[in-house]
Amino acid sequence: MKIERKIDEQFLEQLVNTPGLSGYEQKVQRLFRKKIRPFVQNLETDVMGNVFATLNPSGSPKIMLAAHCDETGMMVKYISKEGFIYFHSIGLDAHLIPGSRVQILTKNGPILGIVGKKAIHLQDSDERSNIIPIKDQYIDIGARSRAESENLGIKIGDPILFDYYYSQLGANGDVTGRCFDDRIGVLIIYEILKRLAQDPPKAQVVGVSTTQEEVGLRGATTAAYKVEPDISLVYDVDFSMDSPDSDEKGHGIAKLGEGPIISIGPMDHKVVDLLIETAADLKIPIQRIAEPRNSGTDGDVIQITKSGVAIGVIGIPCRNMHSYSEIVNLNDVEAIIKLSVEFIKRIEPNFKNLP
């Protein structure tokens, strides 16, 4: 898919490289507030840390755009007498972690660590074929005692993130980074509001960078209660099924660079139909994925807020989800932004969201 890109890639790089474990999203949200402020009339933050950026506050109906800013990672749970750091995992696969570089984010600043891994020469046959349980994995920071680790400022509860950062990948618009899930969605909301600010729609648009999605959709739960939207578009990564180890029969056909993924299922059919119709008019290819139950996104709680919300879930194809090297395609991102801007412009004040 060829498309002219207008994305602020410098901002995207900043978003992806800024730390923001679930519950520790403050730096990401400060960055989002700073960038979005010139393009909206109202800017608020709630007790959960959600950021609400409102365009055309007197417009109707009210459209909520949602994407979560938190990321997967780890948390310090125990320091051994030898100074090694043991951790809880938030959304990570156990086999992914050994041997990786991490940053422990203390109040004194980040501390580099390496997740320990026994040399293959020392492993017996069972160890070579088994995954090391997370409870047995540890981080080596070069300390020799618990006191030395504590004197560096490491405390129980400190967040831990992989020490990997944003990079371009190849020549087809692919990029890789630690947390496109779901900073790419936050970037999409920023771009939508920025472009709509040049020609405001009839609708009120509230872009929400939500928190704590990875630990139970918590931010979106309170955010939707506050906003009380009539319509919501939810942006999150979805599985790109075009790598050698993917099974299309298990999830469906979805590929990098082939356009937005539209979830089909118990969402609002009027919203979904209008998304599909708008994409066709813009000649933007879409990829349909069946979601017969929950989508696994913020949309699951937004839809059932108060008396109900008409939602559409738009997926960004992503390889290597919940790893330190996720991959998305910027052409897909640009297509989602253009589709969303046009969709919002087509929403009239008398839009009927009842089935």
Side-chain angles (χ1 to χ4, degrees):
M1 177 182 61
K2 292 184 178 180
I3 191 168
E4 181 185 359
R5 295 201 302 264
K6 301 178 181 178
I7 298 167
D8 186 342
E9 293 186 37
Q10 184 178 11
F11 178 44
L12 175 58
E13 182 172 356
Q14 289 178 299
L15 275 174
V16 171
N17 290 347
T18 300
L21 186 70
S22 294
Y24 297 82
E25 304 95 343
Q26 295 88 345
K27 288 185 178 180
V28 181
Q29 297 291 54
R30 282 199 293 269
L31 177 61
F32 177 67
R33 286 195 298 268
K34 179 180 178 181
K35 289 289 289 187
I36 199 62
R37 189 179 300 276
F39 306 109
V40 297
Q41 285 76 52
N42 295 334
L43 193 59
E44 299 178 75
T45 302
D46 70 4
V47 70
M48 291 293 293
N50 298 306
V51 174
F52 305 81
T54 304
L55 179 72
N56 192 25
S58 62
S60 179
K62 189 184 296 183
I63 302 174
M64 175 178 170
L65 311 177
H68 70 91
C69 73
D70 59 311
E71 62 181 295
T72 59
M74 296 159 274
M75 179 182 287
V76 175
K77 72 171 182 180
Y78 172 72
I79 305 172
S80 75
K81 63 181 181 180
E82 298 85 7
F84 295 107
I85 312 299
Y86 289 78
F87 53 86
H88 291 293
S89 167
I90 300 173
L92 299 176
D93 292 331
H95 71 270
L96 179 75
I97 305 173
S100 60
R101 294 168 58 100
V102 299
Q103 293 277 354
I104 303 174
L105 305 179
T106 76
K107 290 187 176 180
N108 297 336
I111 294 175
L112 178 66
I114 307 296
V115 182
K117 182 71 168 69
K118 184 189 289 188
I120 192 169
H121 319 71
L122 303 178
Q123 298 176 29
D124 59 33
S125 57
D126 287 341
E127 288 177 310
R128 293 184 185 187
S129 59
N130 291 335
I131 297 173
I132 305 170
I134 287 177
K135 67 180 181 64
D136 296 328
Q137 296 187 32
Y138 59 88
I139 298 170
D140 186 343
I141 62 167
R144 297 295 185 267
S145 68
R146 179 182 293 138
E148 185 177 352
S149 292
E150 291 175 340
N151 287 338
L152 289 171
I154 295 176
K155 298 184 182 300
I156 303 303
D158 282 345
I160 307 168
L161 298 176
F162 290 119
D163 191 36
Y164 294 83
Y165 302 96
Y166 180 96
S167 298
Q168 294 184 353
L169 187 68
N172 296 305
D174 295 347
V175 288
T176 183
R178 189 187 64 238
C179 54
F180 287 120
D181 181 6
D182 185 30
R183 304 285 167 75
I184 197 66
V186 176
L187 182 278
I188 287 169
I189 290 176
Y190 163 76
E191 288 286 349
I192 292 169
L193 291 172
K194 181 176 72 171
R195 298 182 196 189
L196 285 173
Q198 301 171 15
D199 182 19
K202 296 176 182 177
Q204 176 184 166
V205 185
V206 185
V208 187
S209 176
T210 67
T211 60
Q212 299 188 40
E213 188 266 1
E214 298 291 358
V215 291
L217 314 180
R218 295 177 182 179
T221 300
T222 61
Y225 192 88
K226 171 183 172 65
V227 174
E228 296 185 84
D230 302 297
I231 301 168
S232 180
L233 296 181
V234 180
Y235 304 92
D236 209 337
V237 293
D238 202 340
F239 305 110
S240 183
M241 303 300 292
D242 52 357
S243 55
D245 52 357
S246 297
D247 178 13
E248 291 182 342
K249 297 189 300 295
H251 185 66
I253 299 174
K255 300 179 180 181
L256 284 183
E258 296 296 325
I261 295 173
I262 305 296
S263 293
I264 311 296
M267 293 78 184
D268 185 274
H269 298 296
K270 289 184 179 179
V271 171
V272 171
D273 289 347
L274 183 55
L275 283 169
I276 294 171
E277 175 187 316
T278 304
D281 291 343
L282 296 177
K283 295 182 170 50
I284 292 175
I286 64 163
Q287 307 183 81
R288 297 168 64 105
I289 288 293
E291 297 283 6
R293 296 179 179 83
N294 293 345
S295 67
T297 72
D298 280 343
D300 294 343
V301 293
I302 294 171
Q303 184 180 24
I304 56 174
T305 298
K306 293 194 173 180
S307 59
V309 179
I311 70 162
V313 177
I314 303 177
I316 305 98
C318 178
R319 293 177 184 163
N320 312 330
M321 197 184 298
H322 280 208
S323 79
Y324 40 74
S325 297
E326 297 176 335
I327 300 171
V328 299
N329 184 274
L330 295 181
N331 294 327
D332 292 329
V333 176
E334 181 66 39
I336 291 169
I337 295 164
K338 289 182 175 178
L339 170 60
S340 300
V341 167
E342 181 60 25
F343 171 90
I344 292 167
K345 287 183 176 180
R346 293 187 181 193
I347 297 295
E348 296 289 337
N350 61 353
F351 179 83
K352 303 297 183 184
N353 58 1
L354 296 178

